[in-house]
Amino acid sequence: MRKTIRYTMEDLPDIVTMLKKGGGVAVPTETVYGLAVDGENNAAMFWLIDVKRRPRDKAISVLVSGMEMVEKYCQNIPQEAYRLAEKYWPGPLTMILEDKGVVSTLVTAETDTLGVRCPDHPMTLEIIRQAGFALAAPSANPAGQPSAKTAQEVLDYFEGHIEGVLDGGPCAMGVESTIVDLTGEEPKILREGGIPGQEILDFLKGQG
């Protein structure tokens, strides 16, 4: 592949076009950089899993622009999801909800759930809005390596292997999102991240 392009804000239309054609680009979020493709595109998902050297049986969360987009991809959405989105989105919170079957099965690893998150970064949110689809965007690093927090760190990993990286500056938080599973009888924290898990549980109980 040719040299990886370092994109800026002015290149957003080109990035959206590339994603619509099945390309892959690293994008900034407030947590870490993500390696993004169209979550509905099977071929793009195969490429993503290959370049990240990621196990195929490991599900990937998607980035969305808000709950309206979540409704396109998830079903039987509990009221707690809307409450959490209103309080914490855009932000470092991933919610596990019931999958509707719209995204590639490579995103969900053929499970019946889907992780969704609205990132707190204006560039990446604008890409999602313009594209009109969710981005499958695991952290932009080879499996087992530290997450990339700058565009340069992404290039150090993937120069010549991905089409481009959108340089949105250093990630403000530098830690992954907190994951809460809302598909069971009780909300369950699956990963501690940018928001303390107990804070989320307390909020849902009306104590936050």
Side-chain angles (χ1 to χ4, degrees), residues 180 187-189 196-207:
V180 58
K188 185 178 179 183
I189 303 299
Q198 194 58 50
E199 179 184 324
I200 291 165
L201 298 178
D202 288 346
F203 171 75
L204 289 176
K205 288 176 188 167
Q207 300 168 354

Side-chain angles (χ1 to χ4, degrees), residues 103-116:
V103 295
S104 164
T105 55
L106 292 166
V107 173
T108 59
E110 300 189 3
T111 64
D112 57 4
T113 61
L114 176 66
V116 292

Side-chain angles (χ1 to χ4, degrees), residues 58-79:
K58 194 174 177 186
I60 294 171
S61 296
V62 296
L63 300 180
V64 296
S65 56
M67 286 304 293
E68 191 175 328
M69 186 173 279
V70 170
E71 290 169 355
K72 175 183 175 183
Y73 295 103
C74 300
Q75 58 190 358
N76 301 321
I77 302 169
Q79 200 56 42

Side-chain angles (χ1 to χ4, degrees), residues 41-134:
N41 186 317
N42 254 330
M45 286 303 305
F46 273 114
W47 172 85
L48 176 64
I49 289 166
D50 183 55
V51 79
K52 250 190 79 78
R53 302 199 288 276
R54 184 183 175 97
R56 200 171 291 178
D57 60 357
K58 194 174 177 186
I60 294 171
S61 296
V62 296
L63 300 180
V64 296
S65 56
M67 286 304 293
E68 191 175 328
M69 186 173 279
V70 170
E71 290 169 355
K72 175 183 175 183
Y73 295 103
C74 300
Q75 58 190 358
N76 301 321
I77 302 169
Q79 200 56 42
E80 289 95 331
Y82 293 92
R83 288 181 59 208
L84 286 172
E86 189 172 342
K87 181 168 177 66
Y88 292 110
W89 277 6
L93 175 68
T94 298
M95 297 188 284
I96 306 296
L97 301 170
E98 192 177 313
D99 180 53
K100 198 187 256 187
V102 178
V103 295
S104 164
T105 55
L106 292 166
V107 173
T108 59
E110 300 189 3
T111 64
D112 57 4
T113 61
L114 176 66
V116 292
R117 180 167 101 79
C118 180
D120 190 10
H121 197 290
M123 289 184 182
T124 299
L125 270 178
E126 187 57 30
I127 287 171
I128 299 167
R129 290 191 187 110
Q130 288 188 23
F133 50 71

